């Protein structure tokens, strides 16, 4: 049995749903899985886990800052274990090369910025939740959807996640972690995470650290302010994407 930690951030809940689905796939294989929202956990948990999956949506062309902060804080611990990153985006719902390349570039940027190289990467289509968006976001997604997916009925939500893809990703990562021999060591009550760690099993459990500011839940006012900023940023962000895509296409044609 391998112990897995799934750490995720989410704006509208779809990444949480994917994290839960991955948890089901891993537990069905007989593994021990802990799933945590990134700001509601202590980093020290990472030390006692064999393999880690980190998930984030793309919001305004970026991964959630709290997820990036988690990776930054735990870079060394992550480098010593089998790890995977999964990303949810609208770009991955668009069946074209430019959108696929764009989705990949967000991950490339993350790897470059943090220096963390996950063993596996999953690029999943997310969801468009019109019924939860404010007026700006709803209008923007309606306009952008009109020229991409065609899904413009704002009275309902659209889910694009391909659950077979998520399952295949989770199973592939589980197989990798199993191959690396991340097995439980019942005599010591500890678990080895990698080939090297199996040779020198950690025998000390670390104490839970004090919650950091990242562990604190946002207040409703902070969330409202954040959403308003996100809506304004979304407009600017998608205009930036359109500009970038147009430039990219003209560069390719020239
Ligand atoms: C405010 C906002 C900004 C977004 N920005 C992007 C973006 O820049 N690129 C993209 O591909 N998808 C973007 N999306 C789509 C999300 O990545 C997608 O809806 C995802 O499923 C959200 O996951 P969550 O429900 O876990 O927050 C954005 C969504 C919202 C609500």
């Amino acid at each position: 049995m391998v112990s897995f930690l799934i750490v995720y951030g989410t704006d509208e809940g779809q990444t949480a749903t994917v994290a839960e689905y991955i948890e089901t796939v891993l537990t069905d294989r007989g593994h021990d899985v802990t799933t945590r929202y990134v700001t509601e956990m202590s980093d020290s948990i990472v030390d006692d886990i064999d393999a880690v999956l980190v998930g984030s949506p793309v919001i305004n062309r970026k991964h959630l800052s709290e997820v990036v902060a988690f990776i930054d804080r735990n870079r060394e611990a992550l480098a010593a274990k089998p790890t995977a990153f999964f990303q949810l985006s609208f770009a991955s719902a668009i069946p074209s090369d430019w959108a696929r390349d764009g989705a990949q570039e967000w991950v490339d940027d993350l790897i470059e910025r943090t220096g963390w190289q996950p063993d596996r990467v999953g690029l999943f289509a997310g969801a468009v939740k019109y019924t939860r968006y404010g007026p700006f976001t709803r209008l923007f997604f309606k306009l952008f959807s009109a020229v991409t997916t065609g899904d413009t009925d704002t009275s309902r939500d659209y889910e694009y996640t391909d659950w077979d893809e998520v399952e295949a990703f989770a199973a592939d990562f589980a197989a990798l972690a199993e191959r690396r021999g991340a097995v439980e060591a019942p005599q010591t009550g500890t678990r080895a995470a990698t080939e090297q760690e199996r040779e020198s099993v950690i025998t000390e459990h670390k104490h839970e650290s004090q919650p950091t500011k990242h562990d604190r839940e946002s207040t409703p006012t902070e969330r409202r302010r954040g959403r308003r900023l996100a809506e304004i940023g979304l407009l600017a962000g998608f205009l930036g994407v359109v500009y970038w895509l147009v430039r990219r296409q003209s560069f390719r044609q020239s």
Side-chain angles (χ1 to χ4, degrees):
M1 183 173 72
V2 179
S3 62
F4 288 89
L5 171 66
I6 306 173
V7 187
Y8 69 92
T10 185
D11 204 14
E12 296 294 349
Q14 192 66 11
T15 311
T17 309
V18 169
E20 280 160 22
Y21 192 83
I22 292 172
E23 177 179 328
T24 307
V25 174
L26 297 175
T27 27
D28 283 354
R29 286 173 78 104
H31 297 304
D32 179 21
V33 187
T34 305
T35 305
R36 290 280 182 275
Y37 183 63
V38 68
T39 58
E40 290 170 3
M41 59 170 282
S42 165
D43 288 351
S44 63
I45 195 174
V46 177
D47 294 323
D48 297 328
I49 290 283
D50 296 326
V52 183
L53 297 101
V54 181
S56 175
V58 174
I59 301 291
N60 299 330
R61 296 184 294 147
K62 287 187 185 129
H63 298 112
L64 295 181
S65 58
E66 50 269 42
V67 175
V68 178
F70 168 84
I71 296 167
D72 278 337
R73 291 195 307 273
N74 294 281
R75 193 175 25 239
E76 273 181 37
L78 293 174
K81 302 170 193 286
T83 55
F85 178 71
F86 59 98
Q87 168 185 282
L88 270 76
S89 69
F90 182 62
S92 286
I94 303 169
S96 76
D97 287 346
W98 60 260
R100 236 186 318 276
D101 291 351
Q104 179 61 50
E105 278 174 28
W106 287 314
V107 176
D108 294 343
D109 285 350
L110 179 77
I111 291 171
E112 197 180 315
R113 247 179 88 191
T114 60
W116 170 50
Q117 179 64 66
D119 297 297
R120 293 286 186 274
V121 171
L123 302 178
F124 304 128
V128 170
K129 301 193 174 175
Y130 286 118
T131 60
R132 300 201 197 182
Y133 297 159
F136 289 121
T137 308
R138 199 178 311 125
L139 175 65
F140 198 85
F141 267 101
K142 186 174 174 151
L143 295 175
F144 203 63
S145 296
V147 292
T148 52
T149 57
D151 295 333
T152 55
D153 179 358
T154 57
S155 67
R156 51 159 290 191
D157 297 336
Y158 292 89
E159 184 185 83
Y160 301 104
T161 312
D162 181 334
W163 297 105
D164 289 341
E165 268 181 24
V166 177
E167 184 171 354
F169 164 79
D172 177 48
F173 182 60
L176 172 86
E178 288 156 9
R179 272 201 307 279
R180 291 237 189 128
V183 292
E184 198 169 7
Q187 293 87 346
T188 59
T190 59
R191 298 176 179 112
T194 65
E195 292 290 347
Q196 298 103 299
E197 282 184 13
R198 205 148 26 124
E199 282 163 28
S200 62
V201 176
I202 306 157
T203 50
E204 262 179 46
H205 283 289
K206 297 200 172 151
H207 295 293
E208 293 277 299
S209 65
Q210 289 302 311
T212 67
K213 66 175 179 173
H214 297 287
D215 296 322
R216 183 176 66 81
E217 277 213 68
S218 310
T219 64
T221 312
E222 284 172 337
R223 284 190 186 281
R224 262 198 306 278
R225 193 179 303 139
R227 187 153 323 273
R228 187 49 43 86
L229 282 171
E231 286 177 4
I232 293 166
L234 178 77
L235 273 174
F238 268 123
L239 286 175
V241 171
V242 172
Y243 174 71
W244 171 73
L245 289 171
V246 170
R247 281 199 54 185
R248 191 187 165 96
Q249 280 303 108
S250 26
F251 177 73
R252 279 188 175 166
Q253 280 159 11
S254 63

